[in-house]
Amino acid sequence: MLHIVDDEDVVRDSLSWLAQSRGIAARSYADGAGFLEAAGGGFDTEGDCVLLDVRMPGMNGVAVFDQLTVRGLAARLPVIFLTGHGDVPMAVDALKRGAFDFFEKPFNDNQLMDRVQEALAQSRRAGEAAAVQARLESLSAREREVLDLIMAGKMNKVIADELGISMRTVEVHRAHIFDKMQVKTAVELAGLLK
């Protein structure tokens, strides 16, 4: 989902149309506070990106970006700043602080949408990695030990001997691990954790 945050109706409408022409779902917000309120509800598992105007009445784009950073969302939510009043120091500062990119208005539509698609892909990868990490954290300490030995290529009997447990217990742990990690085979598990 592309989130467009700009105080100008015409800019929001134009960017929404441009995104839709590329098959990108878009949602627009007239101010930073409205966007931050919506951001509290979480984001799309298919990836998100924010086109954020720097100069807006009330909360400006930089303040919105700071709030995303404080909330721990900036890594999962690439931000592309847009401005009609940009300068080189502002762009450099935004990029140093973790912005995905910085475009000065007027911008090339194709270049902007290419970067949006790259940002969405990055967001998707970050979301997938976070989901895998959450699944890993759901494993018990013993399941984690069994997982490590499975990843080392060890058979159930060897795992049982090394951990001093029965082979049936290893099989139960293995089934729980596969269930929690949402895989059916050790090969899928290895691919997920590579």
Side-chain angles (χ1 to χ4, degrees):
M1 172 75 62
L2 175 61
H3 303 273
I4 301 164
V5 187
D6 197 297
D7 59 317
E8 295 180 49
D9 292 339
V10 67
V11 172
R12 288 193 313 274
D13 291 345
S14 172
L15 289 170
S16 292
W17 178 85
L18 187 59
Q20 290 171 359
S21 74
R22 291 271 190 118
I24 300 168
R27 212 178 272 152
S28 62
Y29 309 85
D31 58 50
F35 167 69
L36 287 173
E37 185 178 321
F43 293 103
D44 193 338
T45 56
E46 293 301 310
D48 290 277
C49 171
V50 180
L51 289 178
L52 183 57
D53 188 23
V54 172
R55 294 196 180 177
M56 295 181 288
M59 181 180 279
N60 69 30
V62 174
V64 172
F65 183 69
D66 289 343
Q67 280 297 309
L68 291 173
T69 302
V70 165
R71 294 178 184 186
L73 298 173
R76 165 76 173 85
L77 189 64
V79 172
I80 299 174
F81 278 107
L82 302 174
T83 186
H85 311 282
D87 57 22
V88 172
M90 182 188 294
V92 169
D93 182 56
L95 294 171
K96 278 184 179 177
R97 292 168 6 120
F100 189 79
D101 211 335
F102 190 98
F103 279 80
E104 192 169 359
K105 298 174 187 174
F107 44 78
N108 177 297
D109 293 350
N110 285 325
Q111 288 177 343
L112 177 62
M113 284 298 113
D114 287 346
R115 287 300 281 163
V116 164
Q117 288 180 309
E118 291 169 18
L120 287 168
Q122 175 182 302
S123 175
R124 221 174 350 266
R125 287 188 301 273
E128 290 165 0
V132 168
Q133 185 59 39
R135 286 184 234 153
L136 279 171
E137 290 171 4
S138 76
L139 298 177
S140 69
R142 180 61 90 180
E143 289 168 344
R144 192 60 198 242
E145 289 176 321
V146 172
L147 171 70
D148 291 341
L149 294 170
I150 291 169
M151 295 308 297
K154 300 200 176 179
M155 302 302 283
N156 287 354
K157 178 155 180 35
V158 174
I159 294 172
D161 289 343
E162 284 192 28
L163 297 178
I165 57 179
S166 74
M167 202 160 99
R168 176 68 186 133
T169 302
V170 172
E171 290 168 357
V172 169
H173 285 311
R174 186 182 195 107
H176 287 159
I177 292 165
F178 284 16
D179 185 49
K180 289 179 180 181
M181 296 304 293
Q182 300 174 8
V183 298
K184 294 190 182 338
T185 67
V187 172
E188 281 183 63
L189 185 61
L192 187 65
L193 298 178
K194 65 178 176 176

PDB file of all heavy atoms in Angstrom, residues 1 6 105 158:
ATOM      1  N   MET A   1       0.839  -1.168   0.000  1.00  0.00           N
ATOM      2  CA  MET A   1       0.000   0.000   0.000  1.00  0.00           C
ATOM      3  C   MET A   1       0.891   1.241   0.000  1.00  0.00           C
ATOM      4  O   MET A   1       1.829   1.333   0.782  1.00  0.00           O
ATOM      5  CB  MET A   1      -0.903  -0.015   1.235  1.00  0.00           C
ATOM      6  CG  MET A   1      -1.704   1.237   1.460  1.00  0.00           C
ATOM      7  SD  MET A   1      -3.103   1.472   0.371  1.00  0.00           S
ATOM      8  CE  MET A   1      -4.095   0.065   0.754  1.00  0.00           C
ATOM      9  N   ASP A   6       0.112  14.555   1.860  1.00  0.00           N
ATOM     10  CA  ASP A   6       0.364  15.867   1.264  1.00  0.00           C
ATOM     11  C   ASP A   6      -0.845  16.744   1.539  1.00  0.00           C
ATOM     12  O   ASP A   6      -1.983  16.271   1.471  1.00  0.00           O
ATOM     13  CB  ASP A   6       0.584  15.725  -0.254  1.00  0.00           C
ATOM     14  CG  ASP A   6       1.248  16.944  -0.854  1.00  0.00           C
ATOM     15  OD1 ASP A   6       0.637  18.038  -0.798  1.00  0.00           O
ATOM     16  OD2 ASP A   6       2.369  16.814  -1.383  1.00  0.00           O
ATOM     17  N   LYS A 105       9.844  18.547  -6.214  1.00  0.00           N
ATOM     18  CA  LYS A 105       8.779  18.834  -7.174  1.00  0.00           C
ATOM     19  C   LYS A 105       9.262  19.921  -8.120  1.00  0.00           C
ATOM     20  O   LYS A 105       9.908  20.862  -7.668  1.00  0.00           O
ATOM     21  CB  LYS A 105       7.516  19.320  -6.447  1.00  0.00           C
ATOM     22  CG  LYS A 105       6.910  18.310  -5.499  1.00  0.00           C
ATOM     23  CD  LYS A 105       5.747  18.944  -4.731  1.00  0.00           C
ATOM     24  CE  LYS A 105       5.212  18.051  -3.641  1.00  0.00           C
ATOM     25  NZ  LYS A 105       4.193  18.723  -2.825  1.00  0.00           N
ATOM     26  N   VAL A 158      19.831 -39.200  16.213  1.00  0.00           N
ATOM     27  CA  VAL A 158      21.039 -38.494  16.665  1.00  0.00           C
ATOM     28  C   VAL A 158      20.654 -37.323  17.577  1.00  0.00           C
ATOM     29  O   VAL A 158      21.280 -37.084  18.619  1.00  0.00           O
ATOM     30  CB  VAL A 158      21.864 -37.999  15.450  1.00  0.00           C
ATOM     31  CG1 VAL A 158      23.033 -37.153  15.888  1.00  0.00           C
ATOM     32  CG2 VAL A 158      22.312 -39.184  14.600  1.00  0.00           C
TER      33      VAL A 158
END
